[in-house]
């Protein structure tokens, strides 16, 4: 990987982070200042959502091949949802590698492309929380409950929401009256980001490396899990 490509990935991520910091429904932290690893608080502000009011800790990781390759995303607390695996990872098309997949039937337009971005991913995740895809579930039990016993499903969701509020950082003001985030932006909306990422940039210093700490095993107490790539 050339230094130009690596610089382009980091520059684009810095631009995207600055834009997202203007939004009230997401809280961003960079462990050790590493732009390739984001710790997030993803906030559900849709009043009609079963998960409304939740502050869901999550992590996104990027490679220096971004945006040619998609990031990874996982929740860092257990979420009972048809499309969330036990380790917190998601079954969601936008995080799958570019191109069509004959086996799954996914079209290229549904999967990752270099014109997508972090905001597109996060908005897709929020929409998935509200509107699960139960025909290809990651959690079969949650899918059956969502389909057959919505009352019990909503009750579980509210319990998760209440538990998640313990993770709200001290001094952080939770939004309470925002409109639900709109659908994911089209690829064309991110064209400006993509165009600027082609520039060769001088960051004026050394790159920040990955954390040395290994991720702890994910367990029912909401501890961190594996960094393995999505399936």
């Amino acid at each position: 990987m050339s230094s130009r490509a690596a610089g382009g990935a980091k520059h684009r991520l810095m631009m995207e982070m600055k834009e997202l910091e203007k939004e009230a429904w997401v809280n961003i932290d960079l462990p050790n200042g590493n732009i390739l690893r984001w710790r997030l608080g993803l906030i559900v502000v849709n009043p009609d959502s079963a998960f409304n009011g939740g502050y869901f800790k999550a992590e996104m990781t990027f490679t220096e091949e971004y945006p040619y390759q998609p990031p990874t995303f996982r929740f860092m607390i257990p979420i009972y949802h048809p499309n969330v695996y036990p380790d917190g990872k998601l079954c969601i098309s936008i995080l799958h590698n570019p191109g069509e997949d004959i086996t799954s039937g996914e079209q290229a337009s549904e999967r990752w492309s270099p014109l997508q971005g972090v905001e597109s991913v996060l908005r897709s995740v929020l929409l998935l929380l509200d509107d699960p895809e139960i025909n290809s579930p990651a959690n079969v039990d949650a899918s059956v409950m969502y389909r057959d016993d919505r009352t019990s499903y909503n009750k579980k969701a509210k319990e998760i929401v209440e538990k998640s509020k313990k993770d709200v950082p001290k001094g952080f003001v939770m939004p309470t009256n925002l409109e639900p985030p709109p659908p994911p932006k089209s690829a064309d909306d991110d064209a400006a980001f993509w165009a600027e990422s082609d520039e060769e940039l001088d960051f004026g210093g050394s790159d920040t490396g990955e954390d040395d700490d290994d991720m702890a095993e994910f367990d029912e107490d909401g501890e961190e899990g594996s960094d393995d790539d999505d399936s």
Side-chain angles (χ1 to χ4, degrees):
M1 176 62 61
S2 69
S3 60
R4 176 175 179 175
K10 293 176 181 179
H11 175 64
R12 172 164 164 168
L13 286 167
M14 285 295 298
M15 292 178 63
E16 293 193 56
M17 186 179 72
K18 287 179 181 179
E19 288 299 310
L20 277 169
E21 285 177 336
K22 301 174 184 178
E23 302 288 348
W25 49 269
V26 61
N27 187 31
I28 304 171
D29 180 51
L30 304 181
N32 292 340
N34 185 3
I35 192 63
L36 298 178
R37 186 175 183 181
W38 294 23
R39 291 283 174 85
L40 306 167
L42 193 59
I43 303 157
V44 180
V45 293
N46 180 359
D48 297 323
S49 172
F51 294 96
N52 182 42
Y55 183 97
F56 297 122
K57 292 175 63 176
E59 181 178 71
M60 293 185 75
T61 58
F62 308 83
T63 70
E64 292 181 344
E65 295 180 354
Y66 181 83
Y68 293 104
Q69 295 298 319
T72 66
F73 178 98
R74 69 180 183 88
F75 287 110
M76 297 172 67
I77 66 171
I79 295 182
Y80 192 80
H81 184 279
N83 305 116
V84 180
Y85 290 102
D87 64 356
K89 293 182 180 179
L90 294 176
C91 180
I92 188 171
S93 298
I94 195 172
L95 293 177
H96 294 164
N97 288 331
E100 294 187 4
D101 186 333
I102 299 176
T103 302
S104 69
E106 291 178 341
Q107 300 295 315
S109 60
E110 300 174 295
R111 296 162 69 92
W112 179 259
S113 83
L115 297 180
Q116 301 285 7
V118 179
E119 185 172 351
S120 300
V121 172
L122 297 182
R123 292 185 184 277
S124 295
V125 172
L126 289 172
L127 287 172
L128 189 67
L129 285 178
D130 296 349
D131 187 19
E133 172 52 65
I134 63 174
N135 293 324
S136 55
N139 184 327
V140 175
D141 291 341
S143 179
V144 172
M145 181 180 288
Y146 179 85
R147 183 192 65 195
D148 297 339
D149 189 356
R150 194 69 58 86
T151 299
S152 295
Y153 177 85
N154 289 343
K155 181 179 178 181
K156 275 186 170 290
K158 291 304 179 186
E159 291 172 353
I160 294 168
V161 166
E162 290 306 309
K163 184 176 181 180
S164 76
K165 291 178 180 179
K166 298 177 183 178
D167 292 322
V168 177
K170 184 178 181 179
F172 181 80
V173 179
M174 287 282 286
T176 58
N177 58 353
L178 294 179
E179 291 296 321
K185 297 190 301 182
S186 68
D188 290 341
D189 292 336
D190 285 317
F193 279 134
W194 176 232
E196 292 202 31
S197 70
D198 286 335
E199 299 176 4
E200 184 165 7
L201 298 153
D202 180 5
F203 285 84
S206 61
D207 293 337
T208 304
E210 292 285 354
D211 290 1
D212 292 331
D213 55 302
D214 293 329
M215 299 299 292
E217 290 297 321
F218 191 99
D219 61 26
E220 295 180 353
D221 294 327
E223 296 295 328
E224 301 169 19
S226 170
D227 279 331
D228 293 342
D229 291 337
D230 289 344
S231 57

